[in-house]
Amino acid sequence: MTNRSRVSLAVADLPSALPLGQASLGESWSAGARSGALAWSSYAVVEYLFLTLLTWTIVPTYRYRPPGFGISIVFFCVYPLVGWVAAGLLAILARPAAFASRQVAALDVNGVGRVAGPVTLLLIFHLNFLNNMGPLGGSRAVVIGASLVLVAALGVGLVRPHANGLVAALTDPWTVSVVLVGLPWVIYDFIEPSYGRTVRALSATAFLVLACLCGAWLARREWRPKDLGWPFSRRFGLRAAVFVGVWLVSTGLRQAPVTSAIDTPTARADRSHPNIVFISMDTVRPDHLSVYGYRRDTSPRLTELARGATLYSRALAPGSMTLASHGSFFTGVYPSWHGARDVTYRFDNSYRTIAEFLSSKGYHTVGLAANPTFLLPTIDMLRGFRYFDARTPEASLLPLAKQPVVSSRYYLRRFGISAFNALVGGVQAPYKPGRFITEAALRHLEGFRTRGERFFLFLNYMDAHAPYLPPPPFDTMYRGKMPEFDWSAYGFLRLAVLRGEHRLTDAERANLVSQYDGGIAYEDSEIGRVIAHVKQLGLYDNSLIVIASDHGESFGERRFLEHGQTVYQDQIRMALVIKYPGQRDGRLVDRAVSGVDLMPTVLEAAGVELPRDIQGRSLRAAAREGAGGRELYSEASPPRDRAPRQQRGIISNGLKLVRSTDGSHEVYDLNADPEERYNLFNATDAHVRQLQAQLTDWLRLAPAAKNPARLDRETLDALRSLGYIR
């Protein structure tokens, strides 16, 4: 038997090498389908390796997101099936060209079959990458250039199906897969942006050389011409064995919370050092809570709590996004002072945090956060926590449709996800569902009670945040849900609204609000479980319980959607309920208060001397002293694709001035016009001039803006997943 026929058998297990023009339909299909199954199973192994083992080695363990069992099944069951069908069809589609061209007709059917699988990989890669990559240049050009080299090699391999050396290496399915997955991974993830283009280029070159050498070795093993080579079953079996091995190892890779060594030992709780439970409800506007009079009964547990707590009806967030507001919650100063006022944050670590103060007084400080982007344990404003868990949820069979589409490395997986989500309308929330926060909180409460420790337990719930995905039965609890609504396309709807290209219809708004309200009701039920457990453990009476939302949410008001864009009331009004130690009677406080007041309120209750450099005031002390009204401020520094200007607001005695960096000014009387419909700005009015002067003085006192922080790739991806940047 000649070397040529041996290679032909190794490629497609056909009885002989046939010109494409003479091959039957079945022979063409068989050659292409087997090539596709091998190529796509190779890709499945490589992509899963980078997704799990290699990613785990370069990201912090709390940022690692393990794939669920369903994802693993998709990788090695669906991928080969897709390759089998796609490459088989490609080989069949090549037949008409064979009849029309003598050159094509003379091509070996096994040569067509050998390259059909890698060609389908490259085709899907280019379609997805070119559609999502943005402007061509820099690192993206390197990725495209390398893939075009592979295309050229596959063209040579098609004409010379028995070529060895570099051509054989570049057409090998392993080489194609490693280059497609690994090159973007090296450029975008393994090499930090701070190293610059030269280091990236050298690293990419070294990676390509290594990939080609490995591909050449594998090609000689699998496609060697001296004997029959490896039959299809053996080659596919090798891939299955390697995949199972990688999967078994990856099952031992787990996310891990962050723990910090605190020198001060924990102490027992007493009347002067009560236990503290601080619950943050992300994105909840108070006018959608029944405890604030909303028509839907979205918060029965908060209503029950408020009967023995203090409800603040005019609480304002220092900023209209999570990072800015939580920075103020934990430091007692406004965002322009602590620095973390937008997504390119640089927190001023000269301010001590609430957790640092409390841990120094013997509190066991624990944080459990659903927000995977802004409430990370490595952000300086979370210093002082002995234990902080912000782990992201496990990737499920319906991964996030809004996940980043430009800079990450799993191009084919994302392409399949997009197609699958478009088919079934599926989407997974980019945050940890509330039940996981609650269950972890209950375990920690049990431990605090058993050990007799005083504690500060911070909980962050995010179920009311876009893309508004409450679990059953909360998703159908309120009227308005549109079963046909394509949640996988929600990101496009949001951008169209923010760009002024689309105005929400009544049905669209009702749909969003029904799911938003369902998310609030779900959070309320989970918070109710936590409060009930605190009572069950006998900790309720001597506990300070703070429940606050960090900002509001827009649903088409002024053609805005979501938050982080304005300082209008729908985005900065916050819910605030506080149960003070020993409190049994419900109270309503109708004066304006701010999120900067939460830190001094907590510290005073814990017996901690208040720092002098904070801007907030203790709410309980202010009530005792009968403190009058004061000026409150709020800030919005949105990304340019959300709003092309920044806003600052000052509120004094019900009068609100909004100043924008585009030069516009607005004044509203919140007592008479709480929805801010009528702009009363008059530059000659004495009250307006006073507000202008106060806001100018306040901004003049603000520290100079710090240089923008360098965001790592994981943070950028998380920001995209939540819709903060594109």
Side-chain angles (χ1 to χ4, degrees):
M1 184 178 289
T2 65
N3 288 344
R4 181 183 179 88
S5 60
R6 290 190 181 108
V7 174
S8 299
L9 282 171
V11 173
D13 297 344
L14 295 177
S16 61
L18 296 173
L20 182 61
Q22 300 177 17
S24 69
L25 195 67
E27 290 168 334
S28 299
W29 167 270
S30 178
R34 295 189 180 197
S35 170
L38 291 175
W40 282 71
S41 58
S42 300
Y43 185 90
V45 172
V46 172
E47 186 176 74
Y48 199 81
L49 176 68
F50 278 84
L51 175 66
T52 56
L53 300 182
L54 295 182
T55 296
W56 189 82
T57 63
I58 67 169
V59 301
T61 53
Y62 63 85
R63 296 297 293 267
Y64 172 68
R65 192 178 187 188
F69 182 73
I71 289 286
S72 304
I73 294 298
V74 166
F75 267 97
F76 209 73
C77 292
V78 177
Y79 271 25
L81 180 61
V82 170
W84 180 279
V85 174
L89 290 175
L90 183 64
I92 290 177
L93 291 175
R95 287 170 54 79
F99 294 115
S101 169
R102 291 183 179 180
Q103 254 187 334
V104 178
L107 294 179
D108 190 336
V109 68
N110 291 315
V112 175
R114 178 173 177 178
V115 301
V119 165
T120 57
L121 282 174
L122 282 164
L123 178 63
I124 299 299
F125 171 85
H126 281 102
L127 286 175
N128 186 60
F129 189 72
L130 290 172
N131 182 56
N132 293 308
M133 72 176 184
L136 181 63
S139 301
R140 296 183 180 93
V142 173
V143 176
I144 289 295
S147 62
L148 291 177
V149 171
L150 294 179
V151 171
L154 288 171
V156 175
L158 180 64
V159 178
R160 300 174 58 197
H162 313 296
N164 293 314
L166 183 61
V167 172
L170 291 177
T171 57
D172 185 79
W174 291 107
T175 306
V176 174
S177 301
V178 169
V179 170
L180 291 183
V181 179
L183 187 59
W185 184 84
V186 169
I187 293 174
Y188 294 123
D189 295 305
F190 184 71
I191 304 298
E192 289 292 329
S194 58
Y195 285 103
R197 295 181 179 179
T198 302
V199 174
R200 285 187 174 193
L202 292 175
S203 300
T205 302
F207 178 82
L208 286 174
V209 171
L210 181 62
C212 290
L213 291 175
C214 293
W217 180 81
L218 286 169
R220 288 177 63 85
R221 297 286 297 173
E222 286 198 311
W223 308 95
R224 61 186 185 272
K226 292 183 179 180
D227 52 35
L228 291 179
W230 290 5
F232 170 80
S233 58
R234 185 178 178 186
R235 294 198 297 275
F236 191 82
L238 169 68
R239 289 156 175 80
V242 173
F243 184 86
V244 170
V246 174
W247 176 76
L248 288 174
V249 174
S250 70
T251 57
L253 306 179
R254 289 288 179 263
Q255 296 171 308
V258 172
T259 57
S260 301
I262 305 294
D263 294 334
T264 307
T266 58
R268 298 187 67 86
D270 54 43
R271 288 295 174 183
S272 60
H273 299 91
N275 300 309
I276 301 166
V277 179
F278 191 130
I279 300 177
S280 164
M281 301 177 71
D282 204 307
T283 318
V284 173
R285 48 191 285 180
D287 60 349
H288 279 248
L289 292 170
S290 52
V291 69
Y292 279 85
Y294 187 44
R295 58 184 175 82
R296 289 173 169 170
D297 190 18
T298 55
S299 58
R301 280 79 177 182
L302 282 183
T303 301
E304 181 183 353
L305 175 68
R307 295 192 182 103
T310 302
L311 177 72
Y312 294 86
S313 63
R314 295 169 58 192
L316 297 174
S320 58
M321 64 176 299
T322 298
L323 185 67
S325 286
H326 279 82
S328 296
F329 290 173
F330 293 152
T331 63
V333 298
Y334 285 102
S336 285
W337 271 256
H338 63 62
R341 62 185 185 185
D342 62 20
V343 296
T344 58
Y345 53 81
R346 183 173 291 279
F347 185 81
D348 187 346
N349 57 20
S350 66
Y351 291 101
R352 292 186 70 190
T353 68
I354 190 172
E356 285 182 301
F357 280 108
L358 293 175
S359 62
S360 69
K361 293 295 182 180
Y363 278 83
H364 192 147
T365 51
V366 170
L368 307 171
N371 192 310
T373 306
F374 296 131
L375 298 181
L376 294 176
T378 52
I379 297 177
D380 284 341
M381 72 181 182
L382 300 177
R383 294 190 314 268
F385 282 97
R386 295 175 186 264
Y387 178 100
F388 200 95
D389 188 354
R391 289 175 287 179
T392 54
E394 181 182 87
S396 72
L397 189 57
L398 291 178
L400 177 63
K402 284 174 56 181
Q403 64 182 324
V405 293
V406 176
S407 60
S408 194
R409 57 269 185 200
Y410 309 114
Y411 296 105
L412 299 192
R413 183 169 64 94
R414 181 172 300 111
F415 186 90
I417 288 167
S418 300
F420 190 69
N421 283 332
L423 178 66
V424 303
V427 61
Q428 179 187 354
Y431 44 78
K432 193 180 300 182
R435 65 184 179 89
F436 294 103
I437 302 297
T438 299
E439 289 165 3
L442 301 188
R443 291 193 296 270
H444 281 284
L445 287 169
E446 293 278 358
F448 298 146
R449 180 67 177 85
T450 300
R451 296 187 297 269
E453 297 171 320
R454 68 179 69 153
F455 61 84
F456 171 60
L457 177 62
F458 170 72
L459 307 178
N460 165 250
Y461 290 91
M462 207 175 176
D463 303 277
H465 196 288
Y468 315 121
L469 298 170
F474 297 93
D475 61 329
T476 57
M477 183 172 287
Y478 304 111
R479 295 180 59 184
K481 181 177 182 179
M482 298 168 58
E484 71 278 10
F485 186 82
D486 184 6
W487 285 103
S488 65
Y490 170 74
F492 299 104
L493 173 67
R494 182 188 68 249
L495 287 176
V497 171
L498 293 178
R499 291 170 176 168
E501 300 168 357
H502 177 74
R503 185 183 294 274
L504 281 181
T505 66
D506 291 341
E508 288 171 338
R509 187 180 190 280
N511 176 60
L512 297 179
V513 170
S514 73
Q515 300 309 288
Y516 175 73
D517 289 345
I520 292 175
Y522 174 56
E523 282 189 25
D524 178 78
S525 69
E526 294 300 318
I527 292 172
R529 291 176 59 197
V530 174
I531 302 301
H533 204 65
V534 171
K535 291 180 177 179
Q536 181 183 341
L537 295 175
L539 303 172
Y540 183 79
D541 187 60
N542 191 38
S543 289
L544 172 71
I545 300 176
V546 179
I547 300 178
S549 61
D550 58 350
H551 53 73
E553 189 84 330
S554 292
F555 291 99
E557 294 91 343
R558 293 180 175 81
R559 307 198 74 166
F560 286 106
L561 194 61
E562 298 186 7
H563 55 271
Q565 306 127 4
T566 77
V567 294
Y568 299 122
Q569 294 296 96
D570 51 277
Q571 292 197 19
I572 69 166
R573 192 173 170 223
M574 57 181 277
L576 181 59
V577 179
I578 300 179
K579 199 285 294 184
Y580 292 97
Q583 181 177 359
R584 292 180 175 83
D585 299 326
R587 301 169 191 166
L588 175 65
V589 175
D590 194 37
R591 69 174 181 276
V593 300
S594 171
V596 297
D597 299 328
L598 297 184
M599 185 234 208
T601 300
V602 170
L603 294 187
E604 189 216 32
V608 179
E609 182 179 353
L610 301 186
R612 295 183 178 181
D613 58 352
I614 62 173
Q615 296 166 308
R617 62 172 63 169
S618 167
L619 296 177
R620 206 170 196 186
R624 287 195 305 266
E625 298 163 3
R630 76 189 202 272
E631 294 75 35
L632 301 179
Y633 302 88
S634 191
E635 311 177 42
S637 301
R640 291 192 63 82
D641 63 338
R642 286 196 160 209
R645 48 88 193 109
Q646 298 182 1
Q647 280 190 339
R648 302 290 183 270
I650 177 174
I651 302 96
S652 178
N653 295 320
L655 200 62
K656 177 178 179 180
L657 168 69
V658 177
R659 180 189 294 174
S660 301
T661 54
D662 61 7
S664 63
H665 296 79
E666 302 164 68
V667 172
Y668 300 99
D669 182 351
L670 298 181
N671 295 324
D673 180 24
E675 295 183 355
E676 301 167 299
R677 295 179 182 273
Y678 308 103
N679 183 5
L680 305 177
F681 180 76
N682 180 352
T684 63
D685 182 86
H687 294 294
V688 173
R689 295 208 319 260
Q690 182 180 4
L691 289 177
Q692 288 270 47
Q694 289 172 321
L695 182 56
T696 298
D697 291 341
W698 183 77
L699 291 172
R700 187 181 298 118
L701 293 172
K706 304 292 190 301
N707 294 327
R710 283 190 181 274
L711 304 181
D712 59 32
R713 186 61 55 191
E714 288 74 27
T715 300
L716 288 171
D717 286 353
L719 288 171
R720 292 187 183 95
S721 74
L722 292 172
Y724 286 108
I725 62 175
R726 287 189 295 157

